[in-house]
Amino acid sequence: MTMQTNIFYKLLMLGLAVSAPAQVPPAVSGAKPVKVEHIKVHGAALEGNLEGNSVDREVIVFLPPGYATAKTRRYPVVYAMHGYSIGAGQWSQEIHVPQTIEGAFAQGAQEMIVVLPDSKTVHNGSMYSSAATTGDFEAFIAHDVVAYIDAHYRTMANRASRGLAGHSMGGYGATRIGMKHPDVFGSLYSMSPCCLAPRGAGPANPANDKALEAVKTPADSGSLPFGLRAQLASAAAWSPNPKNPPLYLDLPTKDGVVQQDVIAKWAANAPLAFIDQYVGNLRQYRAIAIDVGDQDGLRDGANKLHDILDTYGIANSFEVYNGTHTSAVADRFQNHVIPFFSKNLCFTASCR
């Protein structure tokens, strides 16, 4: 494993492996219940993926208290994306929904629909990227899920009324997808985003290389430690190779030799490397927010993202709060993320 990937997974593991237990905000008195629906959304963008990831994905939909009674009312939608190693179900537990959604509404946030799509793959995460190996999860989120929700629920089907959020890998996804799809989304919130900065190669790790070479089927990766499995997920998303079965990916090292072309492909998928190409797109957003814990190993990347936006004069809010990678995620979702979208999404038919 290269130094690049060593650092990358160390940062992820700072949050996912050793963080303090999540702090759940107390239930808000008088909060009205939201309705929870578990549905399947067919991902046309995922068809034919070489890993065999399911194209019919779990999606959890939270309908606001007034949805059942205000039969003609339409609502903005927030799409909230989970991090690496979990799916939509565990994500819902980490952000403690529906309680935190109900609490946000009870404290004055305007009612909206909240959608949690699942993007877990055989290697535990899609990186919300576009690859023949994993499937095009970028288009799955920006097109397939959005189109399904608009077709089946009373949404306000315009970009100004759609928000995109995510935590960790999901924060990376919100940043990446947000840069490319201002025609779909109108406000962005990146929570502790991972994987933002490109990194150079370093010495190989023979033991890790041997463990990865022993993987003969996608299912074999289930026995790998967190870091190596995450490396396979990243390679599937960022250095796919349809002519390299059985995993259909290229790793950053081969036979102990750093593969510079693979390192370059990974770097090309780092938002801080390609953000300059999408400044015009980012200027179209009604609002952008970034947050990160002061004890989170991903703090530097989030700070650099904020600095670049500032350099271009793109309005954004940035907060470093007291916490680790995961300790405050439920509190942040109730008391910061939902209120942010309440303030910045369009709640009237006239917005565009």
Side-chain angles (χ1 to χ4, degrees):
M1 186 187 292
T2 67
M3 183 177 294
Q4 175 199 26
T5 51
N6 271 322
I7 295 172
F8 172 67
Y9 302 117
K10 181 180 179 181
L11 292 177
L12 279 178
M13 291 165 71
L14 280 172
L16 297 176
V18 299
S19 285
Q23 302 163 359
V24 179
V28 178
S29 177
K32 297 178 180 179
V34 305
K35 182 180 180 182
V36 184
E37 295 191 353
H38 293 262
I39 64 173
K40 291 281 188 177
V41 173
H42 181 77
L46 307 178
E47 292 176 356
N49 76 83
L50 299 174
E51 281 184 343
N53 294 312
S54 173
V55 299
D56 295 307
R57 312 294 304 189
E58 178 187 11
V59 176
I60 309 176
V61 180
F62 299 86
L63 300 174
Y67 191 90
T69 55
K71 298 293 188 180
T72 61
R73 182 178 174 185
R74 292 186 172 272
Y75 295 85
V77 185
V78 171
Y79 297 86
M81 300 182 293
H82 63 77
Y84 179 76
S85 84
I86 64 174
Q90 188 174 338
W91 173 225
S92 71
Q93 296 173 27
E94 289 194 358
I95 56 178
H96 211 70
V97 290
Q99 179 185 308
T100 51
I101 298 174
E102 295 165 349
F105 293 160
Q107 293 176 149
Q110 300 185 75
E111 290 191 356
M112 63 193 78
I113 298 170
V114 179
V115 176
L116 275 54
D118 185 274
S119 297
K120 196 172 183 179
T121 62
V122 294
H123 301 309
N124 261 351
S126 69
M127 308 310 293
Y128 298 100
S129 299
S130 174
T133 302
T134 59
D136 189 346
F137 277 88
E138 183 178 308
F140 172 67
I141 297 295
H143 182 267
D144 295 343
V145 177
V146 170
Y148 184 96
I149 297 299
D150 282 345
H152 291 81
Y153 295 93
R154 297 196 314 273
T155 68
M156 304 183 73
N158 64 78
R159 61 173 298 275
S161 300
R162 294 194 197 100
L164 185 64
H167 176 260
S168 194
M169 181 184 78
Y172 166 87
T175 306
R176 175 193 178 107
I177 296 172
M179 286 188 200
K180 298 182 179 184
H181 296 280
D183 57 321
V184 179
F185 304 102
S187 297
L188 302 176
Y189 198 122
S190 292
M191 308 170 70
S192 307
C194 82
C195 324
L196 295 180
R199 299 183 182 275
N205 183 318
N208 287 337
D209 292 345
K210 184 176 180 180
L212 290 171
E213 289 168 3
V215 177
K216 301 303 181 184
T217 70
D220 291 345
S221 73
S223 62
L224 292 175
F226 178 94
L228 296 187
R229 198 170 189 191
Q231 186 179 15
L232 289 178
S234 299
W238 299 336
S239 50
N241 185 345
K243 294 187 176 181
N244 189 22
L247 302 185
Y248 302 103
L249 54 83
D250 291 328
L251 291 165
T253 59
K254 183 177 181 181
D255 300 325
V257 178
V258 172
Q259 304 298 297
Q260 293 295 343
D261 58 335
V262 175
I263 295 294
K265 289 181 180 181
W266 286 35
N269 281 275
L272 296 185
F274 61 71
I275 187 172
D276 304 271
Q277 304 170 46
Y278 295 101
V279 168
N281 286 357
L282 289 165
R283 291 192 192 280
Q284 298 179 46
Y285 280 93
R286 296 164 63 90
I288 298 172
I290 308 160
D291 70 18
V292 67
D294 60 358
Q295 301 165 57
D296 191 336
L298 304 178
R299 178 177 173 176
D300 286 349
N303 189 74
K304 289 177 181 177
L305 176 60
H306 163 65
D307 286 345
I308 292 174
L309 292 173
D310 273 2
T311 296
Y312 280 107
I314 298 170
N316 68 101
S317 65
F318 177 58
E319 183 178 357
V320 179
Y321 59 84
N322 182 24
T324 65
H325 187 61
T326 58
S327 62
V329 65
D331 175 78
R332 300 298 299 181
F333 198 76
Q334 173 177 297
N335 297 315
H336 298 269
V337 176
I338 296 297
F340 166 84
F341 288 116
S342 173
K343 178 181 178 181
N344 293 295
L345 292 181
C346 174
F347 286 79
T348 67
S350 61
C351 293
R352 291 292 181 267

